[in-house]
Amino acid sequence: MNLFSKTHIEKELLNKEFFNFNILVSTDSTNNEAKKLAEKGLPEGTVVLADTQTAGKGRMNRRFSSPSGTGIYMSIILRPKFSAMEALTITTAAAVAVSKAIEKLTAKETGIKWVNDIYMADRKVCGILTESKIAPDGNSLKYTILGIGINVFAPENGFPDEIKNIAGAVLESNYDNSNFREKLIAETLNEFERIYFTLPNRSYLEHYRSRSVLTGKAVEILKCGEICGEGTVEGIDDDLNLMIKHDDGTTERLSSGEVSVKKKV
């Protein structure tokens, strides 16, 4: 059992009043657990942490591998005051928060793959899944669950076959890195809180764009799991759309879906 230490997290936390913790040894999904608590009325800033997940969730209904003792699996209850249309900003803000936290603690460079993945040395080390419930008025959010999964250390027996070619870890091993997970949790929350309360001004976009691993790359556009086009990524606009230029000169702005870097033949 590798239960997180609330004391060690709060030691590094700047706003101990905003964040409060529900720490679990295991759960099916921290996002699922956070939804239950949000429905019960628990306040914004409630963080669900688990040492392992039995059914961790990624985007596109993918499973998120969550072995014990090696990662950070946490979900935060948010109750945004802005419109449902602004929900995407939470995901991108979280990506910047994780990126900054990792860089601060390791002095290593990170990259961000639109819209929600963090990379180090061409390997994915973090995924982010945001799930929201729309308020009865249809325009605002009743709550948003921000789920963050970080591969801090590589599993002892390696990553599962289905992800071993793309997955990586923030650190090579946990040798002599006691409490590093707690430090990274706290620093991620510190960075996210700085951004969250000023989200509408999108001041974090400069960092997001500067770490983009897709800008200038030839990509394939995937929707519903099928390739439906290709082009070159020109950048990310102010509305967080991915700007694609097709070979015929036409342009497209993607607000959802997925892209993969085109393999060289």
Side-chain angles (χ1 to χ4, degrees):
M1 182 171 67
N2 295 278
L3 202 59
F4 293 103
S5 166
K6 181 181 176 182
T7 301
H8 287 141
I9 296 170
E10 290 188 337
K11 181 181 177 182
E12 309 289 337
L13 203 58
L14 296 179
N15 192 342
K16 297 175 180 61
E17 293 182 0
F18 181 70
F19 294 109
N20 56 88
F21 297 89
N22 283 256
I23 301 177
L24 309 170
V25 175
S26 176
T27 186
D28 60 343
S29 157
T30 57
N31 264 30
N32 286 348
E33 190 66 28
K35 283 181 200 173
K36 294 174 188 175
L37 298 178
E39 290 289 351
K40 291 179 181 178
L42 265 70
E44 182 172 61
T46 297
V47 180
V48 177
L49 266 169
D51 181 59
T52 184
Q53 299 178 113
T54 58
K57 297 188 292 184
R59 288 182 75 232
M60 311 293 179
N61 294 315
R62 297 190 182 104
R63 179 177 174 271
F64 190 92
S65 178
S66 312
S68 173
T70 65
I72 292 169
Y73 319 114
M74 69 175 174
S75 297
I76 309 160
I77 297 175
L78 301 171
R79 299 188 184 276
K81 301 299 188 290
F82 44 76
S83 72
M85 294 292 291
E86 293 284 323
L88 184 60
T89 61
I90 295 173
T91 304
T92 49
V96 169
V98 174
S99 168
K100 285 188 171 184
I102 291 173
E103 291 184 359
K104 179 176 180 178
L105 294 181
T106 69
K108 296 178 181 179
E109 189 173 322
T110 65
I112 300 175
K113 180 177 180 285
W114 181 89
V115 61
N116 67 326
D117 294 334
I118 308 298
Y119 278 70
M120 296 178 73
D122 296 323
R123 293 273 178 164
K124 179 181 171 179
V125 300
C126 172
I128 297 165
L129 177 65
T130 303
E131 298 180 285
S132 298
K133 183 169 184 178
I134 307 296
D137 63 15
N139 296 314
S140 58
L141 297 165
K142 182 178 180 181
Y143 61 77
T144 293
I145 305 301
L146 170 60
I148 299 173
I150 306 174
N151 302 328
V152 181
F153 311 116
E156 187 175 340
N157 297 317
F159 291 101
D161 288 344
E162 64 266 26
I163 61 170
K164 68 180 182 181
N165 292 326
I166 62 167
V170 175
L171 298 178
E172 292 182 6
S173 74
N174 60 2
Y175 175 74
D176 200 28
N177 283 297
S178 59
N179 304 328
F180 182 83
R181 287 194 301 168
E182 282 91 344
K183 290 176 183 176
L184 185 52
I185 290 166
E187 197 55 45
T188 297
L189 294 176
N190 288 339
E191 292 290 350
F192 179 73
E193 190 210 357
R194 287 190 188 103
I195 301 169
Y196 179 62
F197 290 110
T198 58
L199 261 184
N201 68 27
R202 304 192 184 183
S203 59
Y204 66 92
L205 253 179
E206 182 180 349
H207 183 98
Y208 190 85
R209 285 173 172 145
S210 72
R211 298 303 191 278
S212 171
V213 300
L214 293 178
T215 300
K217 298 282 180 66
V219 298
E220 294 174 330
I221 303 167
L222 292 86
K223 292 183 180 178
C224 300
E226 303 220 351
I227 297 173
C228 60
E230 57 184 54
T232 301
V233 176
E234 293 193 313
I236 298 160
D237 69 15
D238 290 344
D239 293 319
L240 306 169
N241 299 311
L242 195 68
M243 300 184 292
I244 305 283
K245 185 173 184 178
H246 298 290
D247 292 341
D248 63 3
T250 60
T251 59
E252 180 180 5
R253 294 174 188 264
L254 297 182
S255 60
S256 62
E258 190 172 7
V259 297
S260 63
V261 176
K262 196 173 178 182
K263 293 181 176 63
K264 295 181 180 179
V265 179

